[in-house]
Amino acid sequence: MALSQEIFEKLKILTDAAKYDVACTSSGSSRRGVKGTMGNTVAGGICHCFSADGRCISLLKILLTNECVFDCKYCCNRLSQDTERATFTPEEVAELTISFYRRNYIEGLFLSSGIKKNPDYTMEQIYQAVYLLRTKYKFNGYIHVKAIPGADPVLIEKTGWIVDRMSVNLELPTADGLKNLAPQKNRRKILTPMKQIQMGRKESLLLTGHEMSRDTYAGTALMEKSAWSKESGLVAQSGTRLPQMREDGNYSLQEFHPGSSFVPAGQSTQMIVGASGESDYEIVHVAEALYRQFDLKRVFYSAFINTTQDTRLPDTSEKGPQLLREHRLYQADFLMRYYQFRAEEIITEENPNLNVQIDPKCNWALNHLEQFPVEVQTADYHTLLRIPGVGVKSARRIMAARRMSSLDYASLKKFGVVLKRAMYFITCNGKMMMPIRLNKEFILTNLLGLGEKLPAHTTGSAYRQMSLFDLGEAETAGIGMKQMGGDIG
């Protein structure tokens, strides 16, 4: 399948325009190949991230269009920005994806978009592109798309049944920041599709695994968007078939799409860091609220880069983007998702910004030395997770191993414990690894001397994301697609 020069030119524009959207992640769902289709979804991950077995997995990351009716001050695709514009048709998106998949360049698609004409029109175009991939091209691989705030809920629902993941970008952490920098948007419109996706996923699990009584079903969002009749069953406004009522008054599932469920890999969002003056305290607490209230799989953080050269925004040309701050926020996020920390433990209103010198877990431990040292032979799982240098896997290995034998420091190292961090906070059979003063200044000095690996370009302005075209101009029919940017989550 040869790509025309016109599509190639659009591709150059729209892959470059998509590089600032980082809200894409590992697939979170697993689906084997099916006879008569092409592609599969690997639970290990999609979108230039590293899977559990160390593989780097890629996807085609593009915008449907970089045209936009909104004029958000921070966005390089805003209405008033003087930039080259392009728009794919749904057929072109499907053709590109299959063409790249057949060349083994990608394993999936990440599709976002500016708002062309209005949210409904844009969401319908995204749906049509995915629908073509699933039906005409029989593509069974991973697909992640953006749910457009303000779009008709029926369009979002239709799309949710044929994709793996959806995301709605919060963009700015607070309502005030959104009002100042993106006055055409509001928090309610952004949170509404998040709630719809959350409820849709819950309903999907119920419908797939269990029968529901008519009274139970009547309270769901699906029922509210449907018209019921005994003769024809439930038919959505979009024409998509819903569960039919049997003679006994219960509903049996009639799949929207064979073998599918609603957004099986969950939803994610993105927040821009450093554009509107919010503190880390506000950002971390907003992230915690999103996880609790909307069952998000992931919150992504994007260090602000002033691509529009707007004087009302922070100048990033001299000191570069705040990548170290972004890095610390990701570490704090991991503590909440995997290490059973609460936002109020990680950061306080009195000290509203994360410590850039050391990671949040070490910072918490140094501020709570009264809880250390921890005896690894007897500590519970929750306590083990609080020890710097002990991860989720190593904590589980410790819990399993100590049932059968006594532990020593050599064993802890084999289990994956980073002893050069953990040695200050643990005892093993009542003994420390070496004589150590449990003193904050002493431990901090030694931890700083370890030389933590930090993101590249945490200082300076040498920031850029790799492009499809870094390897040089490829012929139109075969684009060398080795790097498209990274997901450091």
Side-chain angles (χ1 to χ4, degrees):
M1 184 185 297
L3 301 177
S4 69
Q5 186 64 32
E6 180 184 1
I7 293 180
F8 181 74
E9 292 301 324
K10 289 182 181 180
L11 188 63
K12 294 182 70 173
I13 296 168
L14 294 173
T15 51
D16 184 69
K19 66 187 179 184
Y20 298 108
D21 195 332
V22 299
C24 41
T25 184
S26 59
S27 67
S29 61
S30 182
R31 185 169 58 251
R32 293 179 178 273
V34 178
K35 186 176 180 181
T37 68
M38 63 174 69
N40 59 75
T41 296
V42 181
I46 299 290
C47 187
H48 278 93
C49 68
F50 288 94
S51 65
D53 60 5
R55 295 176 302 117
C56 183
I57 306 176
S58 59
L59 87 169
L60 177 60
K61 181 181 177 183
I62 56 173
L63 296 184
L64 179 75
T65 180
N66 66 342
E67 295 184 38
C68 194
V69 297
F70 293 160
D71 201 31
C72 307
K73 296 179 177 63
Y74 50 81
C75 183
C76 62
N77 300 314
R78 67 183 187 179
L79 179 65
S80 60
Q81 186 76 358
D82 184 16
T83 188
E84 192 173 7
R85 307 286 180 171
T87 300
F88 282 127
T89 65
E91 180 66 41
E92 287 172 338
V93 172
E95 189 176 307
L96 270 172
T97 305
I98 294 303
S99 179
F100 280 24
Y101 177 81
R102 286 173 175 165
R103 289 177 171 83
N104 202 30
Y105 295 152
I106 61 167
E107 295 180 66
L109 171 68
F110 175 89
L111 182 62
S112 185
S113 183
I115 310 301
K116 184 173 183 178
K117 295 185 179 179
N118 56 63
D120 283 347
Y121 176 84
T122 305
M123 195 71 232
E124 177 66 33
Q125 293 294 292
I126 290 174
Y127 170 77
Q128 291 297 335
V130 178
Y131 185 77
L132 283 170
L133 276 168
R134 295 298 198 208
T135 56
K136 178 179 177 179
Y137 293 98
K138 308 298 182 184
F139 183 68
N140 193 45
Y142 176 77
I143 298 179
H144 175 173
V145 302
K146 284 302 171 69
I148 305 299
D152 190 313
V154 172
L155 292 172
I156 292 174
E157 182 181 326
K158 287 168 58 179
T159 307
W161 284 100
I162 56 175
V163 300
D164 293 280
R165 173 163 288 179
M166 298 184 81
S167 53
V168 188
N169 282 357
L170 190 64
E171 297 186 348
L172 297 173
T174 63
D176 287 341
L178 203 63
K179 182 179 179 180
N180 292 332
L181 300 183
Q184 293 166 291
K185 299 180 180 179
N186 65 69
R187 200 67 170 272
R188 183 185 60 82
K189 283 188 176 180
I190 294 172
L191 296 181
T192 296
M194 277 191 189
K195 178 58 70 173
Q196 180 187 354
I197 294 169
Q198 178 194 21
M199 297 307 297
R201 279 173 47 78
K202 290 181 178 180
E203 291 163 2
S204 173
L205 292 173
L206 287 171
L207 292 173
T208 303
H210 308 281
E211 291 184 347
M212 303 171 65
S213 69
R214 182 179 179 187
D215 290 339
T216 302
Y217 187 75
T220 67
L222 293 177
M223 184 66 173
E224 291 171 6
K225 294 195 293 285
S226 309
W228 178 82
S229 68
K230 190 171 182 178
E231 292 76 20
S232 61
L234 290 171
V235 181
Q237 294 174 8
S238 61
T240 306
R241 292 197 62 76
L242 292 168
Q244 289 184 325
M245 191 180 80
R246 299 196 311 241
E247 291 299 325
D248 60 6
N250 289 329
Y251 292 94
S252 60
L253 177 67
Q254 289 200 347
E255 297 276 3
F256 288 74
H257 302 275
S260 69
S261 57
F262 189 81
V263 194
Q267 63 173 320
S268 58
T269 193
Q270 173 184 346
M271 285 191 281
I272 301 170
V273 177
S276 50
E278 289 87 1
S279 66
D280 294 340
Y281 174 84
E282 293 174 286
I283 294 172
V284 171
H285 278 76
V286 167
E288 182 182 57
L290 290 172
Y291 284 127
R292 289 182 177 177
Q293 297 176 23
F294 297 95
D295 299 329
L296 262 65
K297 291 292 185 181
R298 191 73 185 273
V299 175
F300 288 85
Y301 308 92
S302 178
F304 174 65
I305 307 169
N306 193 343
T307 58
T308 63
Q309 306 307 314
D310 194 309
T311 56
R312 293 165 291 187
L313 296 170
D315 180 17
T316 59
S317 60
E318 294 298 326
K319 57 185 178 182
Q322 303 181 60
L323 287 183
L324 181 54
R325 184 184 180 194
E326 175 189 301
H327 179 63
R328 295 296 185 218
L329 285 168
Y330 272 116
Q331 290 176 321
D333 192 89
F334 267 69
L335 292 183
M336 291 190 291
R337 291 193 294 132
Y338 296 115
Y339 291 84
Q340 303 179 3
F341 277 80
R342 302 187 307 275
E344 62 192 37
E345 296 178 290
I346 298 170
I347 191 166
T348 63
E349 197 168 5
E350 292 72 31
N351 296 291
N353 291 306
L354 295 168
N355 191 334
V356 295
Q357 290 185 301
I358 55 175
D359 68 83
K361 193 176 183 183
C362 284
N363 187 68
W364 177 85
L366 287 174
N367 289 325
H368 295 82
L369 286 178
E370 73 279 358
Q371 299 187 27
F372 297 98
V374 169
E375 173 52 57
V376 296
Q377 193 70 45
T378 58
D380 59 34
Y381 179 69
H382 174 80
T383 303
L384 290 174
L385 288 178
R386 303 252 158 171
I387 303 170
V390 176
V392 174
K393 289 184 178 179
S394 53
R396 289 173 180 168
R397 288 167 182 163
I398 290 171
M399 295 289 290
R402 71 189 189 187
R403 297 192 190 105
M404 298 176 287
S405 63
S406 181
L407 302 177
D408 56 30
Y409 284 100
S411 300
L412 295 180
K413 186 174 182 180
K414 289 179 181 178
F415 295 158
V417 176
V418 183
L419 288 175
K420 62 184 180 181
R421 293 181 182 278
M423 61 186 289
Y424 304 101
F425 305 99
I426 63 173
T427 58
C428 191
N429 290 310
K431 298 179 181 179
M432 299 197 81
M433 187 173 175
M434 59 182 66
I436 293 172
R437 288 181 295 157
L438 203 61
N439 175 274
K440 182 174 181 178
E441 288 71 24
F442 171 79
I443 297 174
L444 177 59
T445 300
N446 283 276
L447 288 176
L448 292 175
L450 296 177
E452 179 190 1
K453 291 183 178 180
L454 296 173
H457 311 310
T458 53
T459 59
S461 58
Y463 178 89
R464 63 188 289 269
Q465 179 168 338
M466 295 193 74
S467 161
L468 284 171
F469 311 101
D470 280 344
L471 299 180
E473 294 291 329
E475 67 272 15
T476 302
I479 301 170
M481 185 173 165
K482 299 296 183 183
Q483 293 287 347
M484 287 192 298
D487 172 15
I488 64 172

